[in-house]
Amino acid sequence: MTSFDMNPDMIIEILSHSPASLVGKCRLLNKECNKRTYDSSFLKLNLQRTNSVSGYFLEFSERLMVHSAFVRDLGNIPSGSDEISLDFLPPGRVSIKACDASHGILLCVNDLPVKGRQPEYIVCKPTTKQYMILPKPKTRYFTIALGLMVTGSDPFRYKILRLSQLPGNENRRYNFTFTLVCEVFDSDSFAWKRLNNVELPKEDLLVPRTANPVASYGFLHWLTTSNNVFRFCFKTNSWSFFPVPENLASDDSLKLTRYDGKVGVISSRSKEGVDYQDLWVLERSLGNSWVHVKEIKSIGLEPVGFSSNDVVTLADLDGMCSYNLNNGKSQKLQIRAPKFFPSYYWTMSYFPFYSDYERVELNRRSNGLSTLSP
């Protein structure tokens, strides 16, 4: 049998014309391919050639109202595209709860201002203005965390994880200090399924309404109050815990992120009067060994995420910017939101977003619940 190795540059050229789903599969096969396809030069070319868009959904609150705006981070504006927003969703108090950053799919919750009405769970693709109102979860417990992951592209399939707080009178039956009810929604069955409860380590918690979990290699990851990482696998419907790097165990500045497709953790420190952020990444998806990969000199803003392996997105209450790690140059990102006033909002949430403009089937089961815009 004749072996044949394709030129790496040729592979990258082919992938630059390919959708994110195919690029993602190829990243799993080759380390060099994985690294090169997370470079900003490749991502910008891929966005242009596949008519795709990259950026963040910025969400901010004004009293009881929730507002959102889409912020582009790699510069591409697809031809003939409208401004991306959530204005096509049903009226109400709609907020983003989770996203699949690689497929442009959001999970939103509509807290209807009607007494006694349960919130609506909505999955949507903003670039095509498609949305789907999902069945309500089986339990009505207080939601602690939500996560979303696209698990198949042909046919299109996604799953949602909901973790909710077990009431105190039931929680006392367990030996652990905090027990979470675990439910998974599968678009194939179009139904929620309750799994075994999640039992957190003693004196450890998931903070209610924490940031969007970090997705990597089929797992969702959250940081706990004791600096452990909670990991959930959709393939096996199982969960586990592992610690952050040992030298960061007592650090209260930690933030989970994604870098080169891997789970990362960002820490802050000062050295000789200069502030730095350190980036550590998990060496293997099923392991618990961390590797230090970046030292980023602070410019006074907080890291939001990595647009590529050489560009980090930074933010504060005044706005957002892209910071190039290779040349140290920063570029302010434009926030087009008429109701956004710098320094006016107490909290803001950031949801990474990378999407094409191809329609998807959000519901493969024809059951009358599909709500797709024309």
Side-chain angles (χ1 to χ4, degrees):
M1 180 180 294
T2 303
S3 63
F4 147 77
D5 293 324
M6 185 179 291
N7 184 295
D9 292 336
M10 186 179 297
I11 295 176
I12 296 301
E13 173 64 20
I14 293 172
L15 289 177
S16 70
H17 293 269
S18 304
S21 56
L22 179 58
V23 175
K25 291 177 182 178
C26 292
R27 284 169 172 161
L28 299 175
L29 302 177
N30 184 281
K31 287 185 178 180
E32 181 183 357
C33 176
N34 182 76
K35 185 173 183 62
R36 291 184 63 177
T37 55
Y38 277 112
D39 188 88
S40 61
S41 59
F42 171 85
L43 291 172
K44 289 179 180 179
L45 192 60
N46 179 254
L47 288 171
Q48 181 182 352
R49 291 177 170 178
T50 61
N51 196 42
S52 299
V53 67
S54 172
Y56 289 83
F57 266 96
L58 166 64
E59 187 172 83
F60 47 98
S61 300
E62 177 191 14
R63 297 181 182 177
L64 297 179
M65 296 299 295
V66 179
H67 306 288
S68 63
F70 181 69
V71 183
R72 302 175 191 273
D73 65 351
L74 290 178
N76 186 52
I77 302 178
S79 58
S81 62
D82 297 327
E83 193 67 32
I84 300 173
S85 74
L86 299 182
D87 293 345
F88 64 95
L89 294 180
R93 191 174 187 270
V94 178
S95 58
I96 305 170
K97 297 301 181 184
C99 71
D100 185 306
S102 301
H103 295 85
I105 305 296
L106 302 181
L107 172 64
C108 300
V109 172
N110 189 357
D111 288 320
L112 300 170
V114 179
K115 187 176 182 179
R117 290 284 299 274
Q118 281 185 270
E120 287 181 339
Y121 285 74
I122 304 172
V123 168
C124 67
K125 185 170 183 177
T127 53
T128 59
K129 302 187 186 303
Q130 295 174 267
Y131 72 89
M132 173 75 57
I133 299 176
L134 305 179
K136 292 179 173 57
K138 292 180 177 294
T139 67
R140 297 191 180 188
Y141 302 141
F142 178 76
T143 300
I144 298 295
L146 288 163
L148 167 71
M149 181 178 288
V150 173
T151 58
S153 57
D154 188 17
F156 192 79
R157 184 183 185 185
Y158 57 91
K159 293 184 178 182
I160 298 168
L161 174 67
R162 177 178 180 251
L163 299 173
S164 53
Q165 184 175 349
L166 196 67
N169 58 340
E170 294 187 46
N171 200 41
R172 281 192 289 270
R173 295 185 303 172
Y174 296 86
N175 296 325
F176 294 81
T177 58
F178 204 65
T179 302
L180 299 176
V181 176
C182 181
E183 296 169 275
V184 168
F185 177 86
D186 189 338
S187 63
D188 261 10
S189 62
F190 210 73
W192 292 89
K193 179 182 179 181
R194 182 167 175 177
L195 307 178
N196 292 333
N197 291 342
V198 174
E199 299 170 343
L200 276 72
K202 193 173 182 179
E203 298 181 357
D204 206 357
L205 297 171
L206 283 184
V207 180
R209 305 183 186 279
T210 51
N212 189 49
V214 173
S216 174
Y217 299 114
F219 296 89
L220 292 179
H221 304 80
W222 283 269
L223 191 66
T224 72
T225 56
S226 297
N227 282 347
N228 290 306
V229 178
F230 170 69
R231 171 172 55 195
F232 184 86
C233 176
F234 275 119
K235 186 175 182 179
T236 61
N237 283 340
S238 60
W239 49 270
S240 60
F241 293 87
F242 60 93
V244 299
E246 186 176 357
N247 60 310
L248 303 179
S250 58
D251 194 323
D252 60 2
S253 70
L254 302 187
K255 179 185 298 185
L256 285 189
T257 190
R258 178 175 170 171
Y259 182 82
D260 274 359
K262 299 179 180 180
V263 178
V265 61
I266 299 174
S267 63
S268 300
R269 63 180 172 86
S270 293
K271 182 174 67 175
E272 298 178 354
V274 180
D275 293 332
Y276 292 89
Q277 276 98 30
D278 289 304
L279 172 65
W280 301 71
V281 298
L282 195 64
E283 199 167 17
R284 293 186 178 89
S285 59
L286 284 173
N288 56 12
S289 177
W290 298 84
V291 179
H292 182 262
V293 295
K294 291 281 184 184
E295 180 185 77
I296 306 169
K297 186 176 179 180
S298 175
I299 60 173
L301 304 176
E302 289 297 317
V304 170
F306 288 87
S307 303
S308 62
N309 56 20
D310 54 353
V311 175
V312 60
T313 303
L314 306 172
D316 62 7
L317 291 178
D318 290 324
M320 302 173 66
C321 76
S322 288
Y323 180 73
N324 190 301
L325 299 173
N326 294 329
N327 57 29
K329 294 182 179 180
S330 62
Q331 180 180 0
K332 188 172 182 179
L333 301 178
Q334 187 174 8
I335 300 176
R336 296 181 178 178
K339 296 182 179 179
F340 179 77
F341 302 99
S343 303
Y344 180 77
Y345 304 96
W346 285 101
T347 60
M348 285 184 277
S349 300
Y350 306 89
F351 298 86
F353 188 83
Y354 196 106
S355 179
D356 58 24
Y357 283 78
E358 299 296 323
R359 292 175 69 87
V360 295
E361 183 58 70
L362 294 174
N363 176 22
R364 292 172 58 203
R365 294 163 61 93
S366 179
N367 54 12
L369 292 176
S370 178
T371 312
L372 304 180
S373 64

